[in-house]
């Protein structure tokens, strides 16, 4: 079976598996990678960019190499190749768990249980929940849903379309390392620099595709385009900016503003300043938009892979006839 069809069938099956099963509560492959990366860090850590780059190379290179070996070993069996791609897709995407956690916070807020919402919020993002009121928690959830739609679904599918199972695994490895060491804390400002920059590069195409699809799938396409064009560049993250701005415009809400990470306060620019403040009901709207974007992303990535393969085969055939 051709590689493009392997990706098409495998990615579709993997997303279906995520929809039906979600993430495993124990023994998740991403958690295993995190433990391995933590062990490498304990050996290599130095307050130096070079050692951080080595850490990134060892962890990401090791994960991609294992996936490439697995893909090569099953290449002669189309059933095994599809199964490997499906397993890798299911392991690295997290759309169902993202929606589940967001809705759990929304249900707590709707019930007026602010403490339960604060307790649940760390499952979604690294914000300091004690510094947030109900409106702040709702806004944090919508922002997290937007950003993780790119990081946990669309970005993985993009790299899966490019490089199959190694692409899927490599993207998740990069994204996980960035979450572990890529933040600007005193310990990781230098050591995590390489992981953060690599995540910016790997996340660039998926973030732009997410922004485009949010514009298409949202309730206000013009508002999404306007917010993306005017506000995305104001965000400190080159990838979260387009995603959060397009979601804000598509949903008609304001995102950004003051937030706190582990006692560190940041004052971020407002995205879609013409929108209204986030309400609890917007959490469900954001989750549904995220689901539509994920479904569209699968179609776009599969179509792109099939079309690219057809064009390359056509060129090779034409070249063979003329030689």
């Amino acid at each position: 079976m051709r590689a493009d069809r392997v990706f098409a069938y495998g990615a579709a099956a993997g997303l279906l598996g995520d929809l039906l099963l979600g993430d495993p509560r124990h023994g998740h492959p991403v958690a295993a990678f995190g433990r391995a990366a933590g062990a490498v860090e304990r050996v290599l850590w130095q307050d130096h960019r070079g050692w951080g780059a080595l850490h990134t190379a060892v962890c990401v290179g090791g994960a991609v190499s294992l996936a490439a070996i697995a893909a090569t070993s099953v290449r002669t069996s189309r059933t095994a190749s599809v199964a490997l791609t499906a397993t890798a897709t299911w392991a690295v995407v997290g759309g169902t768990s993202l929606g589940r956690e967001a809705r759990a916070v929304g249900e707590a807020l709707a019930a007026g249980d602010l403490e339960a919402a604060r307790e649940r919020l760390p499952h979604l993002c690294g914000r300091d929940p004690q510094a947030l009121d109900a409106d702040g928690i709702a806004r944090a959830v919508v922002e997290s849903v937007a950003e993780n739609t790119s990081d946990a679904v669309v970005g993985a599918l993009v790299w899966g379309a490019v490089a199959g199972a190694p692409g899927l695994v490599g993207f998740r490895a990069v994204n996980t390392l960035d979450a572990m060491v890529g933040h600007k804390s005193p310990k990781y400002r230098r050591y995590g620099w390489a992981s953060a920059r690599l995540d910016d590069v790997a996340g660039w195409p998926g973030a732009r595709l997410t922004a485009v699809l949010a514009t298409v799938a949202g309730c206000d396409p013009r508002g999404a385009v306007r917010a993306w064009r005017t506000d995305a560049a104001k965000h400190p993250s080159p990838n979260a900016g387009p995603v959060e701005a397009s979601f804000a415009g598509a949903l008609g809400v304001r995102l950004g503003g003051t937030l706190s990470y582990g006692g560190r306060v940041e004052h971020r620019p407002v995205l879609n300043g013409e929108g209204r403040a986030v309400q609890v009901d917007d959490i469900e709207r954001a989750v549904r938009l995220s689901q539509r974007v994920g479904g569209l992303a699968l179609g776009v990535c599969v179509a792109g892979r099939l079309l690219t393969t057809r064009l390359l085969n056509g060129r090779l055939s034409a070249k063979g006839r003329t030689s």
Side-chain angles (χ1 to χ4, degrees):
M1 183 183 292
R2 291 183 347 205
D4 54 349
R5 294 181 181 177
V6 168
F7 171 73
Y9 298 148
L15 281 187
L16 180 61
D18 177 64
L19 179 64
L20 296 176
L21 303 175
D23 291 333
R25 299 189 182 278
H26 304 286
H28 198 295
V30 175
F33 171 81
R35 290 192 293 271
V40 174
E41 179 190 343
R42 287 190 291 273
V43 173
L44 295 180
W45 190 91
Q46 296 287 337
D47 190 17
H48 190 276
R49 284 186 176 183
W51 286 101
L54 179 60
H55 177 216
T56 301
V58 169
C59 294
V60 175
V64 171
S65 296
L66 288 175
I69 291 171
T72 301
S73 67
V74 300
R75 185 169 52 190
T76 57
S77 170
R78 58 185 179 182
T79 301
S81 296
V82 170
L84 176 64
T85 302
T87 302
T89 302
W90 167 76
V92 305
V93 301
T96 297
S97 294
L98 173 64
R100 182 187 300 136
E101 293 298 334
R103 283 171 169 148
V105 177
E107 290 169 1
L109 290 175
D113 193 343
L114 184 59
E115 288 307 312
R118 285 173 171 163
E119 183 177 347
R120 196 82 188 208
L121 184 63
H123 291 255
L124 273 174
C125 60
R127 307 278 177 90
D128 181 3
Q130 301 305 317
L132 297 173
D133 58 12
D135 291 342
I137 290 175
R139 190 192 73 188
V141 171
V142 171
E143 290 173 351
S144 181
V145 168
E147 185 173 1
N148 282 292
T149 299
S150 176
D151 289 343
V153 182
V154 181
L157 291 175
V158 168
W159 283 103
V162 171
L168 289 161
V169 171
F171 178 80
R172 176 55 58 222
V174 170
N175 194 248
T176 302
L177 274 187
D178 178 61
M180 294 177 65
V181 304
H183 42 87
K184 296 181 179 179
S185 66
K187 180 178 181 180
Y188 295 120
R189 189 175 299 274
R190 294 185 180 85
Y191 188 81
W193 177 86
S195 292
R197 297 291 77 75
L198 183 58
D199 184 67
D200 288 342
V201 173
W204 194 96
R208 273 70 193 170
L209 179 57
T210 303
V212 169
L213 296 180
T215 299
V216 172
C219 300
D220 186 0
R222 290 185 179 180
V225 171
R226 181 180 61 249
W228 182 4
R229 291 181 60 185
T230 60
D231 298 331
K234 301 175 184 177
H235 198 286
S237 168
N239 293 331
V243 173
E244 291 186 18
S246 63
F247 262 70
L251 296 171
V253 300
R254 291 193 307 273
L255 298 179
T258 301
L259 49 85
S260 175
Y261 287 97
R264 187 181 80 254
V265 177
E266 292 186 16
H267 300 283
R268 293 186 176 175
V270 172
L271 306 176
N272 193 39
E274 298 180 4
R276 56 174 173 78
V278 176
Q279 301 172 354
V280 174
D281 291 345
D282 293 317
I283 293 177
E284 179 63 26
R285 295 177 64 226
V287 170
R288 291 182 179 180
L289 177 57
S290 174
Q291 291 172 338
R292 292 195 296 272
V293 168
L296 289 172
L298 174 63
V300 170
C301 290
V302 167
R305 180 66 185 262
L306 292 171
L307 179 60
T308 300
T309 300
R310 179 172 296 183
L311 291 174
L312 289 175
N313 288 341
R315 289 184 179 181
L316 289 174
S317 297
K319 185 177 179 180
R321 290 194 296 268
T322 58
S323 61

